[in-house]
Amino acid sequence: MRAIVVGAGDVGYDVARLLSLQRHDVTVVDTDPKKVEQVRETLDVLAVLGSGTSALTLREARIEDADLLVAVTDIDEVNVIASMLAERVGKSAAETTTIARVRSDEFTGPHAVLTLGDFGIDHIIHPEQSTANEVVSLLRRAAATDIVDFCQSRVQLVGIRIDRDSPLAGTTLAELDRSSALPFRIMGISRGVRTIVPSGNATVQGGDQVFVLVESGKVAEVARVLGKEAGRLRHVMILGGTNVGARVAAGLAGRSRRQGGMEVKIVEKDRARAEHLAVTLEGVLVIHGDPADIDLLVREGLAETDAIVAVTEDEESNLVSCLMAKHLQVRKTVALLSKSAYIPISQSIGLDAAVSQKLAVSREVLRFLRGSHVRSVATVHGLDAEILELVADEGAPITRAPLAKQKLPKGVLLGAVVGSRVEIATGTTQVRPGQRAVVFATPERVADVEPLFSG
């Protein structure tokens, strides 16, 4: 597949890296000579110096042959125009998929006069909103380090870290399954830098991060089985009034306490921004101050807070603030990180969870790299694998026999089947045509998954 990425910032660079790793033919377009040079030196892709709003530049990038255009600059208008040009000067709209990063609610809000479909955009990416949604889900599931929804939120993949002194250490997965009447499936285990595809005789060790597939609404029960108390978080402090911080605050405070709403404080350094947030965020206490000022945070009740969410633009500050919060016995810490070197070590040094806007974008783009049977694709920190949601065709190989009689490739694990009800997979499970399935696959086996669901 030929793909053009407009924008070589952090997000665009990561998208280009991802596409290149998937062995696609990639061209990156950017107006900054330094970014273009960095792409040329570090990625196995082509790079063109110029604007995504220029038809001449896009032709130089061979837009007429492109199957996919991903416009992810920091400017909405550039992304929209690049997508429009792709439709006009590229292949026909039916052959070229356009994905645009759009932050403004002018195009996506309920009162939008023009929709993105009017501009020929097939799919939008809103990294800030996606990241905020992930943070809100993590805070509503206090024991989780990661949460990803599948099958219209009927099934969730939940990451849970096993305590080092947990009595479960050394327990096999078969023993764990027999000891609980709750249906769930451990899809993967992250142990150090290793990703383990579990079998019945695999053991859980202290310090493991296990990724469990479970029907939505049963996360708290699974957490208890794995030795975690899933008590509700009631007091949350958000460090940074960024777009992500504001959206997290709105998502947490938008429900009444009876419905699970939380008491939310947000600390913002810029006075004008703090005043704006105070006016627009109903039910949120906005504090004008430096989120990196630990003395200020302590005075504002850091030690009595249940959770800290650090989403400033300074990720080193996010890390330090969360570590200080853990020192003060704050139950849950979530940091916004973008540097790939920070994310794997964040939990090993004490953080509960890390979120990334780049990963949010990658998840969206991944869905378009798979075939027509794939409804969604997810990746999570610490797990060297992809989790795919697929729909089975009539006559597909996966529908011909129960799982116990299927010879799935090594490194492929089917976790759940969803039709009129959710069924966590066992040996007797049989996928029916039209049903959705959630499948775990290691990188070298991803290409083997879709043919199983194709008629």
Side-chain angles (χ1 to χ4, degrees), residues 322-323 326 330-333 345-353:
C322 286
L323 288 174
K326 293 306 290 186
V330 174
R331 286 175 55 195
K332 185 149 190 176
T333 56
I345 67 170
S346 61
Q347 294 177 9
S348 65
I349 63 176
L351 272 68
D352 294 305

Side-chain angles (χ1 to χ4, degrees), residues 433-444:
Q435 288 185 323
R436 297 191 179 207
V438 180
V439 180
F440 172 105
T442 53
E444 66 275 9

